[in-house]
Amino acid sequence: MTEAACDKQKAKAQDTENVMPDAAQADAKTACGCGKEAASSEEKKDTAVAELTEKLQQAEKKIAENYDMYVRAMAEVENTRKRAEADVLKAEKFGIDKFATNLLPVMDSLEKAMEHAQKEEGPMKDGLLAIYRQLVHAMEVSGMKSFEPVGEKFDPNRHQAVTVVPPAEGQESGTVATVFQKGWMIQERVLRPAMVAVAQG
């Protein structure tokens, strides 16, 4: 039914409102289709709301998934950064290990030469002493330091026992009695253990 026809039908129902019973008025509205159109409009509105609600829920779910991926990615970036920093720090601390280890026999030989030159006087002894001091300084600024653990409790991580000897008077058993070769450390890590004799008895 066209809109004009519907309006005409409504006018007719209005004219007869005082004389028509309620049932007749309801039949007139049904005849023009206005009630069906209103119901259909409400159904469409409900369907549209349901569809929008579903899309909103899907969007919120996608946002949550993307945020979770972002958090995981940022955590991985931070872990990678920390690992890189640790690797750089480790390289700075221990990068000279091989060179330092190869340098220790040179230091041992120089110290032996210094011992033999103790009774000597002159430029030879002065030159050896100057070289020794320069070498020790270079090793110290590189994070290296020597240790002679006489009297310390034997520690297999820092000491290499080559023999055992009876303890001297007042000396505790299990302590270092003699150092045959000094030990060296680099950045708080043992580069070469000290070669020692341990008091035991």
Side-chain angles (χ1 to χ4, degrees), residues 58-115:
Q58 292 176 353
E60 290 175 344
K61 182 179 179 182
K62 189 64 176 179
I63 290 172
E65 292 175 354
N66 290 339
Y67 180 75
D68 182 67
M69 292 173 61
Y70 165 77
V71 171
R72 291 175 182 272
M74 292 302 296
E76 183 60 28
V77 168
E78 182 65 15
N79 291 336
T80 301
R81 184 185 65 80
K82 289 181 179 179
R83 285 194 295 267
E85 289 180 352
D87 290 341
V88 170
L89 184 61
K90 185 177 180 180
E92 290 177 351
K93 284 185 176 181
F94 309 125
I96 64 170
D97 273 19
K98 186 175 181 180
F99 173 76
T101 301
N102 293 333
L103 191 62
L104 293 183
V106 178
M107 174 61 79
D108 295 337
S109 298
L110 186 56
E111 288 177 342
K112 290 294 183 183
M114 292 283 295
E115 290 177 7

Side-chain angles (χ1 to χ4, degrees), residues 144-172:
M144 299 173 60
K145 61 182 179 181
S146 62
F147 62 94
E148 295 188 62
V150 174
E152 294 183 8
K153 189 171 182 61
F154 177 73
D155 181 356
N157 296 314
R158 289 165 47 87
H159 311 142
Q160 180 182 351
V162 295
T163 186
V164 295
V165 296
E169 185 177 352
Q171 186 177 32
E172 294 183 8

